[in-house]
Amino acid sequence: MHGFRVAVFLLLIHMAMAAPGSWQLLMNDSGIASMHTVVLHTGTVLFLDRTNVGPSHIRLADGNCRNSTSEMVSPYDCFAHSVEFTPGPNTVRPLTIQTDTWCSSGAVVADGTLVQTGGDFDGSNKIRYFKPCASGANCDWAEDSTTTLQTRRWYATNQVLADGSILVVGGQNVFTYEFVPGRPAGQVALPFLQETHKVFGDDQNLYPFLHLLPSGNVFIFARRDSILLDPNSGNILRKYPSIEGEPRNYPTQGSSVMLPLDNADGFTKATILVCGGANDNAYSDPKTQYPASQTCGLLEATAADPQWTMLNMPFPRVMSDMILLPNGRVLLINGAQKGSAGWEFASDPALNPVIYNPTDRSFEVQAGTYIPRMYHSTAVLLPSAQILVAGSNTHQFYTFKEPYPTELRVEAFLPDYLHSSFDSQRPTVKSAPSQIAYGSTFVMTVTVPAPKGGFQLRLASTPWATHSFSQGQRQLALAIGMVTITDVDEYSITATAPPHAAVAPAGYYMLFAVQNDVPGFASWVQVIWNQPN
Ligand SMILES: *[C@@H]1O[C@H](CO)[C@@H](O)[C@H](O)[C@H]1NC(C)=O
Ligand SMILES: *[C@@H]1O[C@H](CO)[C@@H](O)[C@H](O)[C@H]1NC(C)=O
């Protein structure tokens, strides 16, 4: 009886204290279920699905229909499979892709161009470019007509390197890596991918997690193992201990981030966080609906003797996206609590995001959505500091049947820092540079009506989000020098740009001013090699 009363009491407390954060439905029908989502430096968001999915919900512009004998489902296709989404008005513009981009990889390079690589069938070795343009201009996908990948890559992962080139790793039954633009070495064997490949009869190492460490070397995580690759010599510099618990890569799809790099340690320390995953048998035996992994592992990849520290999440998660929030915390969003990636292979949606706080290693459950985001769903950080959520299609074609219909709705998750009660603490950018050179000092001016704590300036990259992993995601806490009051409520902040390109590859970043953990709207800044003229 006593226990029952306590339980009722706790339930009432829980109901009275609403979980933090809120949701907004931005659009009912974006036309496509976005399997790959990327924020562009023009402030729009690129959505990309695959070509052989049959009719989508949005037509191509007149004259743009695709007539391709290599396309197996719709040889003559007047439907779009990629769109450009504009936050604010929440509108979409159809884009044209020529060959199959299914489960592909991508990266944004120094001039802001999105480079997409591989896919399946006729698109499996293609390289495609999307060069963002000003609103009103009709920029579109362009397929490279002269150069292809060295081999077909389906479920590969990309990472921009310090020299600005793209490292492309793996793919189904492909145990190599290569570079875009290509290097004389061509494709290089990576036995690590073979070793982590067939352990339980499934490929559990697809879409490996890649993180560019501040040394310029690349941390590669596949299944439960990880190595450090020198991309220039090809040497494997380290083999890390195996993580405990379930395997973590597709189809046992967990996720991973490198925690924000920090000026406080001279940007030398890199800590990897891997969360979620699925039972070894979840993909081969989907009927059982095994509970997903409830653990995360933390590994300081730059330490002398790195060991995994295991943490427990409030509930299990598979197929959850991980996003570095502008206040340095980590959001886990989307996914399910049972099963694995793959068509119809998961259940029990993880409707509540969770925020991990690296300072005290705690997890806080957030307000839930009512829209399940299962296989093939995505999430990205917007300049507004909101999280855009798009996609979810656990079917071969667009199929609008319960319980998990193909999802065309676009939502935003608003972390608690966007609550109006923090508006007086929110920095508004008055002036900021559009370019900063490595190691240079720059000044940013913000207004804050009622500042409470110190300022932080953080750079956030624009990753390629697909299959729960944001390829190329990184965040930097910049060094702040003098802060001076220049007018009523106005502060001029002197800061130092990243020291070199292994800490932050050249390109466009969202520059967030953060005050007392409350971020303002980001301004766009291009990190460049030499001082602008
Ligand atoms: C979505 O559709 C519902 C039902 O028709 C409607 O009430 C709502 O206003 C729509 N929302 C948006 C963002 O269009
Ligand atoms: C598609 O191309 C084929 C030739 O490859 C042509 O015979 C056919 O008429 C075209 N279809 C349409 C609708 O344009």
Side-chain angles (χ1 to χ4, degrees), residues 66-69 75-76:
R66 195 168 57 104
N67 186 10
S68 164
T69 49
Y76 186 76

Side-chain angles (χ1 to χ4, degrees), residues 455-533:
F455 285 103
Q456 293 185 314
L457 295 187
R458 288 175 178 266
L459 288 183
S461 69
T462 56
W464 168 270
T466 194
H467 290 75
S468 310
F469 181 66
S470 279
Q471 306 182 7
Q473 178 171 217
R474 67 202 294 112
Q475 189 188 98
L476 282 79
L478 299 180
I480 289 186
M482 231 172 21
V483 178
T484 51
I485 302 178
T486 41
D487 203 339
V488 180
D489 301 339
E490 189 185 290
Y491 301 82
S492 160
I493 307 166
T494 305
T496 309
H500 56 79
V503 167
Y508 288 90
Y509 290 79
M510 294 179 271
L511 172 57
F512 286 98
V514 184
Q515 197 278 133
N516 196 31
D517 283 340
V518 179
F521 206 105
S523 60
W524 287 98
V525 67
Q526 190 182 19
V527 176
I528 55 171
W529 292 98
N530 298 306
Q531 206 64 253
N533 294 321

Side-chain angles (χ1 to χ4, degrees), residues 108-282:
V108 178
V109 295
D111 72 351
T113 300
L114 170 59
V115 181
Q116 183 280 353
T117 49
D120 201 11
F121 302 107
D122 58 347
S124 64
N125 65 353
K126 296 286 194 244
I127 303 173
R128 308 170 183 85
Y129 306 96
F130 186 87
K131 211 173 168 52
C133 54
S135 122
N138 284 326
C139 46
D140 208 335
W141 284 104
E143 208 162 85
D144 198 320
S145 55
T146 54
T147 311
T148 63
L149 293 175
Q150 305 272 331
T151 186
R152 64 185 297 273
R153 294 192 188 268
W154 196 33
Y155 299 92
T157 305
N158 294 9
Q159 170 67 57
V160 176
L161 302 175
D163 70 359
S165 66
I166 304 168
L167 173 69
V168 188
V169 177
Q172 194 179 51
N173 290 310
V174 177
F175 311 120
T176 65
Y177 59 86
E178 64 177 283
F179 304 89
V180 175
R183 292 189 187 178
Q187 49 172 321
V188 183
L190 189 59
F192 171 70
L193 293 176
Q194 186 112 49
E195 289 156 17
T196 49
H197 177 230
K198 290 236 182 238
V199 185
F200 273 81
D202 307 318
D203 317 301
Q204 289 174 338
N205 66 358
L206 298 183
Y207 276 131
F209 305 144
L210 265 56
H211 299 290
L212 175 69
L213 301 194
S215 58
N217 300 315
V218 180
F219 178 89
I220 305 178
F221 182 104
R223 195 174 181 273
R224 293 176 62 226
D225 293 315
S226 41
I227 55 168
L228 186 64
L229 170 74
D230 177 340
N232 298 318
S233 69
N235 293 334
I236 308 301
L237 305 174
R238 280 186 124 151
K239 187 163 176 9
Y240 295 94
S242 299
I243 194 171
E244 285 171 32
E246 295 83 354
R248 311 285 178 165
N249 295 85
Y250 179 93
T252 56
Q253 195 172 305
S255 187
S256 172
V257 291
M258 179 169 69
L259 295 181
L261 300 177
D262 198 335
N263 71 87
D265 54 47
F267 300 106
T268 56
K269 195 170 126 181
T271 301
I272 309 299
L273 178 64
V274 173
C275 289
N279 184 286
D280 267 313
N281 301 307

Side-chain angles (χ1 to χ4, degrees), residues 286-511:
K287 274 208 170 67
T288 301
Q289 287 299 290
Y290 291 95
S293 169
Q294 198 169 340
T295 60
C296 299
L298 266 178
L299 180 86
E300 194 183 322
T302 46
D305 181 22
Q307 300 294 331
W308 289 99
T309 302
M310 300 309 293
L311 309 167
N312 279 308
M313 294 186 283
F315 46 88
R317 299 193 92 108
V318 62
M319 300 187 293
S320 289
D321 289 81
M322 288 171 78
I323 291 179
L324 298 170
L325 297 176
N327 60 7
R329 309 221 169 124
V330 183
L331 178 73
L332 287 100
I333 191 167
N334 297 344
Q337 301 186 58
K338 286 184 186 146
S340 76
W343 289 329
E344 334 266 354
F345 278 8
S347 60
D348 200 355
L351 297 170
N352 293 80
V354 164
I355 290 182
Y356 170 72
N357 184 348
T359 311
D360 60 5
R361 297 185 177 175
S362 63
F363 292 91
E364 187 183 39
V365 178
Q366 305 293 302
T369 174
Y370 54 93
I371 303 178
R373 300 285 179 173
M374 311 294 275
Y375 187 41
H376 287 153
S377 58
T378 59
V380 290
L381 173 68
L382 296 176
S384 61
Q386 299 182 357
I387 311 306
L388 182 95
V389 173
S392 184
N393 189 7
T394 185
H395 314 291
Q396 184 173 2
F397 302 112
Y398 281 31
T399 308
F400 300 95
K401 68 165 195 219
E402 295 296 338
Y404 309 121
T406 300
E407 192 50 69
L408 305 177
R409 285 174 288 186
V410 179
E411 287 171 289
F413 174 67
L414 283 62
D416 199 35
Y417 56 56
L418 288 168
H419 193 276
S420 57
S421 62
F422 295 115
D423 282 353
S424 62
Q425 295 177 49
R426 197 177 313 288
T428 303
V429 178
K430 201 171 170 208
S431 71
S434 59
Q435 293 184 316
I436 52 177
Y438 289 110
S440 67
T441 312
F442 68 95
V443 175
M444 183 173 185
T445 306
V446 301
T447 56
V448 188
K452 275 209 161 155
F455 285 103
Q456 293 185 314
L457 295 187
R458 288 175 178 266
L459 288 183
S461 69
T462 56
W464 168 270
T466 194
H467 290 75
S468 310
F469 181 66
S470 279
Q471 306 182 7
Q473 178 171 217
R474 67 202 294 112
Q475 189 188 98
L476 282 79
L478 299 180
I480 289 186
M482 231 172 21
V483 178
T484 51
I485 302 178
T486 41
D487 203 339
V488 180
D489 301 339
E490 189 185 290
Y491 301 82
S492 160
I493 307 166
T494 305
T496 309
H500 56 79
V503 167
Y508 288 90
Y509 290 79
M510 294 179 271
L511 172 57

